[in-house]
Amino acid sequence: MVPYHSHFKGLAELFIPIDNNTVVPNVRHVLLLLVQTKSKKTLARPGVKNIVLVEGVRTPFLLSGTTYANLMPHDLARAALQGLLNKTSLPKDAVDYIIYGIVIQEVKTSNVAREAALGAGFSDKIPAHTVTMACISSNQAMTSAVGLIAAGQCDAVVAGGAEFMSDVPIRHSRKMRKTMLALNRAKTLGQKLSLIGSIRMSHLSPELPAVAEFSTAETMGHSADRLAAAFGVSRLEQDEFALRSHTLAKKAQDDGLLEDVITFKVPGRDIVSKDNGIRPSSMEQMAKLKPAFVKPHGTVTAANSSFLTDGASAVLIMSEEKALAMGYKPKAYLRDFVYVSQDPKDQLLLGPTYSTPKVLERAGLSMSDIDVFEFHEAFAGQIMANLKAMDSDWFGQTYMGRKAKVGTPPMDKFNLWGGSLSLGHPFGATGCRLVTTVAHRLKKEGGQYGLVAACAAGGQGHAMVIEAYPQ
């Protein structure tokens, strides 16, 4: 206890008076101040519901075609949901809604959220739907959850994402599909024989899915190479950043920092407990690789690009009031977020450049207030191009209508536990990984604010501010 003195009168919220002579500290307010080491303020707003991240998990992210090869997307999503249930001891009827993101859908399970939820044992009374927004699909799942809670429709929502690149849908050609549908409708043997006789060898060529823009027909890798060239990003810079990502990811993995990764017994296969795409190399080895998209003079290679990945993630989002009532200790507050959209031809991957200043303005923060940055790494060239765009007064003035540049995140705060280049990038699942990583890093590093940013196909992008929960 501390002796009462008149100069405590201005700090009434920090102390609870016991009698006329003594007061004791109000522990909650003192802890809140201790956490707020940077801006000395919280983003809580009067009359606005606080929404919290209670827990986040993910399956190990694996190179496609490896241990998960015989599964289906809902198997991975189910594993993530079961991992979330196990980690939180959440009653299976305690959430109001489930939302999942996915990009390349399995036609048998188009609403993968519902199939995964039923498989994981959630109550069949809980509605579930699936969203798709390219590489920010699980970001959309999470912000949809935030919207439901903010609107008072729900108190607890599970959001997540999954992607399964080991078995993507491959279609017959359009002509072959039309013939097969006509055969199904044919009534007589003559009609059927006539249709069969119309089939040509060219009809048998399959339609393969491509990571390409429908509006421009350009692959994302080709666009990344052009973007890197436009901003003068060298092959050396890209390889150095990719090596940094793998090196930091390996250290984080070895140090046990990737605590969102669950152990998963793959049916008929091994138990997996860690990501298998983390492979620190050397600049000399990386320099030997040939360009993957723009040949022969391009700079984007297999080593400085994210790889095709299988994996799933899940997060539990609640109103703060509900989380505390259920006995949970939240990890972080989910604060302001924005979505942006640009020209899909020449600005396909510049989402972070456009979304970062918008979300900071919404939150009333500056770049220097942010303690933890987690940007999605689609390609090393994409990250470096965004950093150069953010550091350019000319780009800010010419393309963004700003008076000056956005400013760049300090590298000593940026993707310190690796990123999509090394950990892997299951398209629909990465957003939840980014948000959970920010929450864990804020706790580990003692920061107050984190920022997630990501680009996505279609020239779209997303950013969110996350605030540490008082420890």
Side-chain angles (χ1 to χ4, degrees):
M1 290 189 289
V2 282
Y4 181 79
H5 194 277
S6 60
H7 64 239
F8 287 145
K9 289 180 179 178
L11 301 173
E13 73 276 11
L14 295 183
F15 297 93
I16 301 171
I18 300 299
D19 53 41
N20 288 334
N21 296 312
T22 55
V23 294
V24 295
N26 182 333
V27 175
R28 179 174 173 79
H29 284 289
V30 171
L31 287 176
L32 191 61
L33 282 182
L34 288 174
V35 169
Q36 295 163 5
T37 56
K38 298 293 179 183
S39 64
K40 306 298 184 187
K41 66 179 180 179
T42 175
L43 294 183
R45 297 186 181 114
V48 177
K49 193 177 293 187
N50 278 329
I51 298 170
V52 295
L53 173 72
V54 174
E55 187 58 86
V57 301
R58 63 181 177 91
T59 68
F61 287 176
L62 302 189
L63 291 151
S64 62
T66 56
T67 308
Y68 295 153
N70 295 327
L71 301 181
M72 290 176 66
H74 76 283
D75 292 319
L76 293 175
R78 180 181 64 216
L81 289 173
Q82 288 172 331
L84 187 66
L85 287 170
N86 293 338
K87 203 163 186 180
T88 59
S89 300
L90 180 74
K92 294 180 180 179
D93 60 352
V95 298
D96 304 308
Y97 211 97
I98 297 170
I99 311 172
Y100 249 72
I102 195 166
V103 179
I104 299 180
Q105 298 188 7
E106 163 61 56
V107 292
K108 293 178 182 177
T109 56
S110 57
N111 188 0
V112 72
R114 178 64 170 167
E115 305 305 333
L118 292 172
F122 279 93
S123 167
D124 60 10
K125 301 294 188 283
I126 301 172
H129 80 264
T130 299
V131 297
T132 188
M133 201 175 181
C135 302
I136 52 177
S137 293
S138 63
N139 304 79
Q140 182 58 250
M142 287 184 289
T143 56
S144 296
V146 168
L148 286 170
I149 296 170
Q153 293 290 317
C154 301
D155 288 315
V157 181
V158 169
E163 207 66 50
F164 188 64
M165 301 301 292
S166 289
D167 182 29
V168 296
I170 298 173
R171 304 201 301 178
H172 284 289
S173 68
R174 185 75 180 261
K175 289 180 178 178
M176 190 65 185
R177 297 200 305 273
K178 290 177 70 173
T179 302
M180 293 168 75
L181 289 169
L183 269 169
N184 197 46
R185 293 191 300 268
K187 297 287 193 292
T188 68
L189 179 62
Q191 289 174 332
K192 292 178 180 178
L193 290 174
S194 175
L195 285 165
I196 292 170
S198 71
I199 296 173
R200 300 289 178 263
M201 285 298 293
S202 61
H203 294 185
L204 302 178
S205 297
E207 286 184 5
L208 302 174
V211 185
E213 288 297 302
F214 182 79
S215 59
T216 65
E218 184 178 36
T219 65
M220 193 169 280
H222 196 283
S223 182
D225 214 320
R226 285 198 304 108
L227 187 70
F231 281 92
V233 181
S234 68
R235 166 75 179 268
L236 180 65
E237 287 177 292
Q238 293 174 63
D239 286 353
E240 285 176 343
F241 185 86
L243 182 58
R244 173 190 189 269
S245 181
H246 280 271
T247 303
L248 290 173
K250 184 69 168 70
K251 185 177 188 310
Q253 189 179 66
D254 291 345
D255 292 348
L257 298 178
L258 307 180
E259 57 186 275
D260 55 333
V261 181
I262 60 171
T263 297
F264 176 30
K265 172 64 176 76
V266 181
R269 298 290 295 271
D270 306 326
I271 294 174
V272 291
S273 58
K274 62 181 184 178
D275 309 319
N276 73 355
I278 303 172
R279 298 177 181 180
S281 182
S282 67
M283 292 297 291
E284 292 73 27
Q285 288 293 98
M286 295 170 76
K288 294 177 182 178
L289 294 184
K290 294 181 178 179
F293 300 99
V294 178
K295 301 172 182 179
H297 303 300
T299 56
V300 174
T301 70
N304 58 41
S305 308
S306 56
F307 48 87
L308 295 180
T309 314
D310 300 335
S313 55
V315 296
L316 177 57
I317 299 172
M318 290 182 167
S319 65
E320 183 181 25
E321 185 180 8
K322 178 73 170 179
L324 297 178
M326 291 188 67
Y328 289 118
K329 179 64 185 292
K331 289 182 177 289
Y333 293 108
L334 302 182
R335 299 302 194 190
D336 293 275
F337 61 87
V338 297
Y339 288 92
V340 296
S341 195
Q342 289 80 235
D343 169 24
K345 187 173 193 303
D346 293 324
Q347 298 192 7
L348 179 69
L349 302 171
L350 288 177
T353 298
Y354 284 89
S355 60
T356 295
K358 281 193 173 184
V359 81
L360 288 174
E361 286 162 16
R362 278 186 68 91
L365 298 175
S366 65
M367 194 76 83
S368 61
D369 289 318
I370 304 299
D371 305 301
V372 166
F373 292 88
E374 285 290 330
F375 280 25
H376 162 48
E377 302 169 352
F379 303 88
Q382 160 256 331
I383 285 287
M384 298 307 296
N386 272 277
L387 294 179
K388 293 199 176 198
M390 295 169 83
D391 197 35
S392 167
D393 285 318
W394 176 83
F395 188 88
Q397 293 162 358
T398 307
Y399 288 98
M400 301 177 70
R402 297 175 59 85
K403 293 180 180 178
K405 62 188 178 184
V406 173
T408 53
M411 294 309 287
D412 60 357
K413 299 179 179 180
F414 189 87
N415 291 16
L416 294 188
W417 294 356
S420 299
L421 289 171
S422 48
L423 300 170
H425 174 40
F427 302 144
T430 288
C432 291
R433 175 190 68 76
L434 293 170
V435 168
T436 304
T437 300
V438 165
H440 289 166
R441 281 188 55 200
L442 285 171
K443 182 179 178 182
K444 176 78 173 173
E445 298 167 23
Q448 185 179 353
Y449 296 127
L451 189 145
V452 160
C455 59
Q460 304 196 97
H462 166 76
M464 177 188 275
V465 170
I466 294 133
E467 183 177 353
Y469 197 82
Q471 300 304 317

